Amino acid sequence: MLRVSLYRYNPEVDDEPYMQDIEFDTGGKDLMVLDVLEMIKGDDPSLAFRRSCREGVCGSDGLNINGKNGLACITPLSEVVKKGALVVRPLPGLPVVRDLVVDMTLFYQQYEKVQPYLINNTPPPAIERLQSPEEREKLDGLYECILCACCSTSCPSFWWNPDRFIGPAGLLQAYRFLADSRDTATDERLARLDDPFSVFRCHGIQNCVAVCPKGLNPTRAIGHIRNMLLQRAT
Amino acid sequence: MVTSVTSLGRSGLYDWLLQRVSAVVLLAWFVCIGGTILGAPELTFVYWKSVFSGTAMRIFTLLALVSLFAHAWVGMWSVVTDYLTERMMGPRAVVLRLTVQVVCVIVLFSYVVWGVQILWGN
Ligand code: SF4
């Protein structure tokens, strides 16, 4: 038997959030956390959480599972359950819409700030802008991000300043475009980042690295941005 | 771009660099003082005074004091803008934040002046 504890909050009826305890029979199987949630929802359709692809590609079901952020669909019980208990809460630091669903507006606003698209106003070539294999290689470890928000919502600096610190996810994408040989706005991009909050609230805590379900390293990307700023200014 | 008028250098990079450089200066100074204390035949007032009577040591110590000022200001400014914010405590945060910032600057400035007095006093 698995003791499941779920964060519940329905602002229309509850005065405040509470933890709901449920005894759950796994049937001896090593289920994914998402499977458990789905089965519980089968009995209690009022439980709200996001999900879509159920295989770690869409990034919708980022949750705080036994204290650590991760994607419920690719987190097996055997990896997280300790002493027969599973505690599931919404991603920390963002406003809760209902139960395990958070309002991601702040997260997306930071993403928007880094202008996550190629900027190149030179006349486009007939077919496409080419890159050498070496130039393309620089984007590895950056383009794979699925914007699940597990990293940014595990970062204390993002908890305190989600409106001013871009956060690991946004900064990883900032570097993805700074590193792209086809982008010509490097200087403008860097100029927009050189304030005391956007990049420099990162104190190298590295929670982002510890939780990223895609194995990406936002701290390293932030270090690259810092070096680019340093080169440009000294 | 998030602007701020109370950070030391107004630029994230400048503050960051200053904090790194000042940290190195402080480390070097403490190693130097540690060595002086450990290497002393006997730790007397006369010996201590002679250590700080050299111009090089005075310059180094003043540099360490100024570094302390910069280092602590950048650090305290970060702490204050993390925790004493409108997001954490509502509109009254700005008063508290500014007060703490001013107190910090006064204390740090006093340390520097006091240090100069000690170094160049009799
Ligand atoms: S960097 Fe990793 S944890 Fe952060 S949003 Fe992208 S995939 Fe999720």
Side-chain angles (χ1 to χ4, degrees), chain A residues 106 113 159-164 191-192 194-198 200-201 226 229-230 233-234, chain B residues 1-4 7 10-17 77-79 81-83 85 87-88:
Chain A
L106 282 162
K113 269 197 207 166
W159 295 340
W160 312 142
N161 285 297
D163 48 346
R164 299 190 280 190
R192 290 162 61 97
D194 184 17
D195 63 79
F197 285 97
S198 301
F200 290 94
R201 268 303 135 130
R226 216 185 269 137
L229 283 166
L230 199 61
T234 50
Chain B
M1 188 87 170
V2 185
T3 51
S4 169
S7 81
R10 312 269 181 92
S11 134
L13 183 68
Y14 181 88
D15 283 4
W16 179 82
L17 194 59
W77 184 81
S78 295
V79 171
T81 50
D82 263 353
Y83 300 116
T85 59
R87 173 170 291 278
M88 302 286 283

Side-chain angles (χ1 to χ4, degrees), chain B residues 66-84:
Chain B
V66 173
S67 296
L68 182 78
F69 180 96
H71 196 84
W73 176 235
V74 176
M76 286 309 291
W77 184 81
S78 295
V79 171
V80 165
T81 50
D82 263 353
Y83 300 116
L84 305 183

Side-chain angles (χ1 to χ4, degrees), chain A residues 20-223:
Chain A
Q20 179 187 16
D21 294 319
I22 299 158
E23 289 288 316
F24 183 87
D25 185 9
T26 57
K29 282 187 246 161
D30 186 15
L31 301 168
M32 294 292 175
V33 174
L34 182 65
D35 298 329
V36 175
L37 293 177
E38 290 285 10
M39 288 178 189
I40 292 174
K41 191 177 168 77
D43 294 335
D44 174 7
S46 74
L47 175 66
F49 55 87
R50 287 196 183 104
R51 56 141 299 169
S52 182
C53 75
R54 61 101 185 91
E55 55 184 7
V57 176
C58 73
S60 333
D61 64 351
L63 291 168
N64 186 273
I65 304 160
N66 276 4
K68 189 176 169 190
N69 289 355
L71 297 179
C73 55
I74 54 169
T75 305
L77 291 176
S78 57
E79 210 175 82
V80 284
V81 169
K82 285 188 196 80
K83 294 186 192 141
L86 175 72
V87 183
V88 184
R89 296 171 185 270
L91 290 176
L94 295 175
V96 173
V97 176
R98 176 170 165 164
D99 296 339
L100 302 171
V101 178
V102 289
D103 179 356
M104 309 260 287
T105 310
L106 282 162
F107 176 78
Y108 290 133
Q109 277 171 348
Q110 295 302 343
Y111 177 55
E112 202 182 341
K113 269 197 207 166
V114 307
Q115 300 181 300
Y117 37 82
L118 270 187
I119 302 177
N120 189 334
N121 292 329
T122 59
I127 302 179
E128 58 189 323
R129 296 187 198 279
L130 297 175
Q131 283 188 304
S132 69
E134 293 75 33
E135 287 167 340
R136 168 60 188 77
E137 215 168 86
K138 288 194 181 144
L139 308 182
D140 288 341
L142 304 170
Y143 78 91
E144 299 93 328
C145 170
I146 54 174
L147 293 176
C148 64
C150 286
C151 57
S152 291
T153 58
S154 68
C155 172
S157 285
F158 190 75
W159 295 340
W160 312 142
N161 285 297
D163 48 346
R164 299 190 280 190
F165 173 49
I166 287 176
L171 290 169
L172 188 87
Q173 288 317 298
Y175 183 61
R176 182 246 171 275
F177 288 96
L178 285 167
D180 196 314
S181 61
R182 297 163 298 178
D183 191 280
T184 55
T186 308
D187 226 44
E188 294 85 329
R189 289 181 187 278
L190 288 174
R192 290 162 61 97
L193 295 173
D194 184 17
D195 63 79
F197 285 97
S198 301
V199 176
F200 290 94
R201 268 303 135 130
C202 170
H203 299 309
I205 298 166
Q206 302 206 26
N207 278 1
C208 52
V209 184
V211 299
C212 178
K214 290 289 175 185
L216 308 180
N217 191 328
T219 307
R220 196 189 302 140
I222 295 170

Side-chain angles (χ1 to χ4, degrees), chain B residues 4-119:
Chain B
S4 169
V5 295
T6 49
S7 81
L8 189 59
R10 312 269 181 92
S11 134
L13 183 68
Y14 181 88
D15 283 4
W16 179 82
L17 194 59
L18 200 63
Q19 200 167 31
R20 264 63 197 173
V21 173
S22 58
V24 173
V25 172
L26 285 170
L27 180 69
W29 189 81
F30 277 113
V31 168
C32 171
I33 284 298
T36 311
I37 292 173
L38 292 179
E42 202 188 343
L43 212 53
T44 60
F45 177 74
V46 179
Y47 174 76
W48 196 241
K49 197 160 188 274
S50 74
V51 168
F52 284 94
S53 63
T55 306
M57 190 58 188
R58 284 181 179 177
I59 292 176
F60 192 22
T61 306
L62 183 61
L63 185 68
L65 273 167
V66 173
S67 296
L68 182 78
F69 180 96
H71 196 84
W73 176 235
V74 176
M76 286 309 291
W77 184 81
S78 295
V79 171
V80 165
T81 50
D82 263 353
Y83 300 116
L84 305 183
T85 59
E86 283 75 359
R87 173 170 291 278
M88 302 286 283
M89 52 201 326
R92 72 206 155 91
V94 64
V95 181
L96 189 60
R97 189 167 65 242
L98 268 176
T99 313
V100 175
Q101 286 175 348
V102 170
V103 170
C104 276
V105 170
I106 292 175
V107 169
L108 290 169
F109 180 71
S110 308
Y111 279 147
V112 174
V113 176
W114 189 18
V116 170
Q117 234 174 28
I118 294 171
L119 282 172

